[in-house]
Amino acid sequence: MSSSTAAYARDVRVTWWYTASSIVFLHAFAALLWSLAVFVDGSLAALVFNLVGVAGSVASAVLLLVRYRREPLDDGDRDARRPVWPLVAVGVVSAVVMGVSAGSPLLGVGFVAQTLCLVRWRGGVRLRLAVLSIAVIVVIWFIEATRVNPQGYISVFSLPFFVALLPVLTATSLWWWDIVRELDRARRAEGRLAAAQERLRLAGDLHDLQGHHLQVIALQLELAEKMMGRDPDAAVEQVRAARASVDEARRGTRDLAARFRGVPLPDELANAADLLRAAGLTVDLLVDTAAVDAPADVLGPVVRESTTNVLKHGGGVSASLSLARHEGAWVLVVENDARGASSPVGDGAGLAGIAERVGAVGGTMDATRPGDLFRLTVRVPEGDSA
């Protein structure tokens, strides 16, 4: 699963853009198609008035979708939801303008329902709202077809049917997006859990190894202390045995560290992005699909140190992380907004430590400050991949 982390993340973004663009397209297409059908023989002033309503309705839909994408999946507190209602009000007023200018209650009601379906309601509310909207639209459709405009455009089946289905299509599309987003969140949680379990396993192995050797060394030194007075030669042998035990413990620790591969680099980058997002930053993450082959033992600590630097010295607004393979090297780029004149390029033990770490494997580090950004670029030869 680790090797597909980046591809999966791209698939999630593509799913959102496909979902949002489809909703906006259907919204605009239905509004404009209805307007053209209504005003073929209508006045120019009414058409302009209607198109103003269409523009407001589409703008409201776009902003509501942006809001929907940024909201958390869980219910959260209600204070975080209050700013959505001005956008809903714009959509409702625009729908009323469309309906009044066209002389069509069905048009207004349909797009009011569409606007309400773009809100992230508590569990189950949007589904009931979509079903209710179908019932209301069918009733309004019947009244308009038989009473308000029995001889006009309302008799054309396709246009009212399209508007009637629009809230339902929106509700189901956003429901599907919520499922994809929940799966993505579960994948991230699974990655963090796997990393934590691996660290716990390492800690247990290290505890067992060091505990055993320390106990042996303590017994050997205790025995040497007791024998020091009556048999110095035997005491010296025990001290030498204790020193051998120290060397054995050191070798065992090195072997254990060599066997421990740590968190795969794609998951390391995903965890760093999650941490930065939790701190309130807007984060862009771009990871090569083959990044699982990158040297995690070298670049993993660099990612962690860079993330710490962004949190401590960045402007706290945005950041981006990318890892790509280029001309026989792995290139890691961490970029963030800078905070005034603080943290000048080249300062800090963190950057010096990164330069030393990558330099040990023949890599390079470059820290620059283009404009209001701070950019760290690390190159590690591809041949050092684990």
Side-chain angles (χ1 to χ4, degrees), residues 19-352:
T19 302
S21 60
S22 298
I23 291 174
V24 172
F25 173 78
L26 292 175
H27 186 107
F29 180 76
L32 291 174
L33 190 64
W34 189 291
S35 299
L36 292 175
V38 170
F39 291 104
V40 168
D41 299 322
S43 66
L44 179 60
L47 176 59
V48 171
F49 190 53
N50 183 264
L51 291 178
V52 170
V54 171
S57 180
V58 173
S60 171
V62 171
L63 294 175
L64 283 171
L65 285 170
V66 171
R67 165 86 183 182
Y68 195 95
R69 174 67 175 86
R70 295 177 177 176
E71 282 186 332
L73 284 171
D74 49 7
D75 288 337
D77 61 80
R78 294 185 178 182
D79 290 339
R81 300 178 179 273
R82 287 176 185 170
V84 77
W85 296 114
L87 301 178
V88 174
V90 171
V92 170
V93 170
S94 299
V96 172
V97 169
M98 292 164 61
V100 171
S101 61
S104 172
L106 177 59
L107 180 60
V109 170
F111 279 92
V112 166
Q114 161 72 354
T115 299
L116 294 177
C117 283
L118 290 170
V119 178
R120 184 183 292 282
W121 299 94
R122 295 181 183 274
V125 173
R126 186 168 52 224
L127 177 60
R128 292 192 289 269
L129 180 64
V131 174
L132 179 62
S133 70
I134 292 179
V136 172
I137 288 172
V138 169
V139 172
I140 298 297
W141 186 0
F142 177 78
I143 294 174
E144 188 168 345
T146 57
R147 305 273 184 172
V148 179
N149 192 9
Q151 303 300 325
Y153 63 89
I154 197 67
S155 60
V156 180
F157 179 78
S158 58
L159 288 177
F161 183 73
F162 192 14
V163 172
L165 283 184
L166 192 57
V168 179
L169 291 174
T170 298
T172 53
S173 296
L174 292 178
W175 171 73
W176 168 248
W177 161 248
D178 286 342
I179 291 177
V180 172
R181 194 175 174 190
E182 186 68 47
L183 290 173
D184 181 55
R185 186 167 69 170
R187 180 194 63 81
R188 294 174 185 272
E190 183 181 4
R192 288 191 291 268
L193 179 60
Q197 289 175 335
E198 186 67 10
R199 290 190 178 105
L200 287 174
R201 184 192 65 78
L202 174 66
D205 291 347
L206 185 61
H207 175 271
D208 294 341
L209 174 68
Q210 297 291 355
H212 166 73
H213 285 294
L214 288 174
Q215 186 177 15
V216 170
I217 293 169
L219 290 173
Q220 289 169 333
L221 292 177
E222 183 179 356
L223 182 58
E225 183 182 13
K226 292 179 179 180
M227 298 175 65
M228 189 68 70
R230 64 176 183 269
D231 193 348
D233 292 337
V236 170
E237 287 300 322
Q238 292 299 324
V239 171
R240 289 173 179 169
R243 187 172 62 183
S245 296
V246 170
D247 292 337
E248 185 179 353
R250 192 159 40 196
R251 285 194 301 271
T253 302
R254 281 199 302 265
D255 293 341
L256 182 61
R259 292 197 306 270
F260 177 64
R261 289 187 173 271
V263 183
L265 201 54
D267 289 339
E268 189 78 68
L269 287 161
N271 292 340
D274 287 343
L275 178 61
L276 294 174
R277 291 189 183 106
L281 280 73
T282 301
V283 181
D284 292 327
L285 177 63
L286 182 61
V287 184
D288 192 292
T289 52
V292 69
D293 297 326
D297 55 335
V298 177
L299 292 178
V302 174
V303 171
R304 292 190 290 272
E305 181 66 31
S306 301
T307 304
T308 302
N309 288 342
V310 171
L311 293 174
K312 290 173 61 178
H313 306 300
V317 176
S318 63
S320 65
L321 301 94
S322 69
L323 178 65
R325 191 162 42 187
H326 180 66
E327 296 181 353
W330 287 101
V331 182
L332 171 69
V333 179
V334 180
E335 191 174 84
N336 62 277
D337 57 319
R339 182 180 296 166
S342 64
S343 302
V345 173
D347 282 6
L351 293 179

